[in-house]
């Protein structure tokens, strides 16, 4: 398997976590989206140019959540989407909400903050803040009442919902801290100790400064 990814992206990190937790061997192919050469070369592989992308033999599997489902269906390692249809629906819903209201908004805000203040879209920033803060409240309510052993975003074991939430919280915290939500803090402190997650965070930090420099050109 080959994974085309960008280390800073929470969507890429979702797939990396799935691959690592399931114990798959794969080749990492980092794509730097602000390098015209890398972007052009990558479009030869996947014309839409979006990352992450998993290449398994001749198969191209795009979109982070679809990749996780694909890996789950291969049957190796921990199951990340429950077999029960109703439980699976809940996990997919939580995954979708995190992607839409935490990860996507944090990325939008990041790009806005890289612009001069006079060029920022104030209405967009307000919308993103509102949706992130509202989603924090929803996540806090979902986690409230769980003990340490069952402190997962859905049910009492890790699922695709956690693989979305952990990277999303990491990028969101740098923009809108969630310190006012004690259960989210407890959840993050617990799962951020996963070796796979810590390794990805270190890699993302190394790339971030180069990413910021490229955006300012």
């Amino acid at each position: 398997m080959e994974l085309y990814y960008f280390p800073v992206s929470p969507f890429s990190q979702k797939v990396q976590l799935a691959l690592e937790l399931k114990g798959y061997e794969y080749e990492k192919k980092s794509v730097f989206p602000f390098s015209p050469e890398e972007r052009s070369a990558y479009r030869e592989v996947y014309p839409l140019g979006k990352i992450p992308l998993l290449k398994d033999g001749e198969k191209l599997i795009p979109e982070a959540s679809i990749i996780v489902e694909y890996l789950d269906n291969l049957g190796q390692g921990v199951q990340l989407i429950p077999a029960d249809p109703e439980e699976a629906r809940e996990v997919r819903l939580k995954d979708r909400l995190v992607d839409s209201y935490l990860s996507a908004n944090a990325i939008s805000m990041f790009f806005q903050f890289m612009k001069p203040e006079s060029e920022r879209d104030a209405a967009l920033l307000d919308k993103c803040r509102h949706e992130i803060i509202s989603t924090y409240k929803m996540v806090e309510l979902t986690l409230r009442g769980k003990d340490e052993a069952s402190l997962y975003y859905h049910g009492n074991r890790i699922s695709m919902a956690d693989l979305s939430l952990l990277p999303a919280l990491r990028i969101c915290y740098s923009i809108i801290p969630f310190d006012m939500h004690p259960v989210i803090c407890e959840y993050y402190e617990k799962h951020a100790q996963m070796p796979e997650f810590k390794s990805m965070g270190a890699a993302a930090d190394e790339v971030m400064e180069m990413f910021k420099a490229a955006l300012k050109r």
Side-chain angles (χ1 to χ4, degrees), residues 137-154:
K137 292 177 182 177
M138 182 190 70
V139 172
E140 180 81 2
L141 287 172
T142 301
L143 295 173
R144 191 171 294 166
K146 290 177 175 257
D147 60 23
E148 199 273 340
S150 64
L151 195 56
Y152 297 94
Y153 192 28
H154 182 81

Side-chain angles (χ1 to χ4, degrees), residues 82-95:
D84 178 79
E86 182 62 18
E87 293 294 307
R89 183 191 66 80
E90 286 287 341
V91 166
R92 290 188 181 99
L93 173 61
K94 288 172 179 172
D95 169 75

Side-chain angles (χ1 to χ4, degrees), residues 139-213:
V139 172
E140 180 81 2
L141 287 172
T142 301
L143 295 173
R144 191 171 294 166
K146 290 177 175 257
D147 60 23
E148 199 273 340
S150 64
L151 195 56
Y152 297 94
Y153 192 28
H154 182 81
N156 58 7
R157 64 181 182 84
I158 198 163
S159 72
M160 182 169 67
D162 298 293
L163 271 56
S164 298
L165 184 57
L166 282 166
L169 289 175
R170 188 177 193 277
I171 190 172
C172 282
Y173 190 83
S174 66
I175 299 169
I176 302 177
F178 44 79
D179 296 329
M180 297 295 291
H181 301 282
V183 189
I184 293 179
C185 290
E186 183 182 353
Y187 168 91
Y188 189 78
E189 287 169 6
K190 171 184 176 176
H191 296 294
Q193 300 309 309
M194 292 167 47
E196 300 86 356
F197 188 65
K198 291 177 75 172
S199 175
M200 287 190 313
D205 288 341
E206 287 181 9
V207 173
M208 181 60 79
E209 292 307 314
M210 180 173 62
F211 187 34
K212 289 180 179 178

Side-chain angles (χ1 to χ4, degrees), residues 9-210:
S9 162
F11 304 109
S12 292
Q13 291 178 13
K14 181 199 301 191
V15 175
Q16 285 182 270
L17 279 173
L19 286 162
E20 296 288 343
L21 289 171
K22 285 179 168 291
Y24 284 109
E25 293 186 6
Y26 65 102
E27 182 180 354
K28 297 178 182 179
K29 291 184 173 288
S30 180
V31 179
F32 190 65
F34 286 84
S35 164
E37 295 81 11
E38 288 190 31
R39 197 165 60 239
S40 176
Y42 177 54
R43 287 186 182 275
E44 293 297 315
V45 178
Y46 184 50
L48 288 179
K50 291 186 66 178
I51 48 177
L53 174 78
L54 184 70
K55 189 173 185 288
D56 186 11
E58 297 302 312
K59 294 179 183 176
L60 297 179
I61 302 100
E63 304 295 333
S65 298
I66 300 300
I67 296 172
V68 175
E69 294 224 21
Y70 174 80
L71 294 172
D72 233 24
N73 289 336
L74 294 179
Q76 177 173 310
V78 60
Q79 187 174 7
L80 296 169
I81 301 172
D84 178 79
E86 182 62 18
E87 293 294 307
R89 183 191 66 80
E90 286 287 341
V91 166
R92 290 188 181 99
L93 173 61
K94 288 172 179 172
D95 169 75
R96 176 68 175 166
L97 292 174
V98 168
D99 282 358
S100 299
Y101 297 109
L102 289 183
S103 294
N105 281 325
I107 291 168
S108 292
M109 292 184 76
F110 176 82
F111 281 112
Q112 286 295 313
F113 287 138
M114 294 305 298
K115 298 178 180 180
E117 189 170 355
S118 61
E119 297 177 15
R120 295 174 190 169
D121 186 333
L124 175 60
L125 285 170
D126 285 345
K127 170 186 171 294
C128 291
R129 285 191 191 94
H130 171 75
E131 291 184 353
I132 288 174
I133 291 169
S134 296
T135 306
Y136 282 168
K137 292 177 182 177
M138 182 190 70
V139 172
E140 180 81 2
L141 287 172
T142 301
L143 295 173
R144 191 171 294 166
K146 290 177 175 257
D147 60 23
E148 199 273 340
S150 64
L151 195 56
Y152 297 94
Y153 192 28
H154 182 81
N156 58 7
R157 64 181 182 84
I158 198 163
S159 72
M160 182 169 67
D162 298 293
L163 271 56
S164 298
L165 184 57
L166 282 166
L169 289 175
R170 188 177 193 277
I171 190 172
C172 282
Y173 190 83
S174 66
I175 299 169
I176 302 177
F178 44 79
D179 296 329
M180 297 295 291
H181 301 282
V183 189
I184 293 179
C185 290
E186 183 182 353
Y187 168 91
Y188 189 78
E189 287 169 6
K190 171 184 176 176
H191 296 294
Q193 300 309 309
M194 292 167 47
E196 300 86 356
F197 188 65
K198 291 177 75 172
S199 175
M200 287 190 313
D205 288 341
E206 287 181 9
V207 173
M208 181 60 79
E209 292 307 314
M210 180 173 62

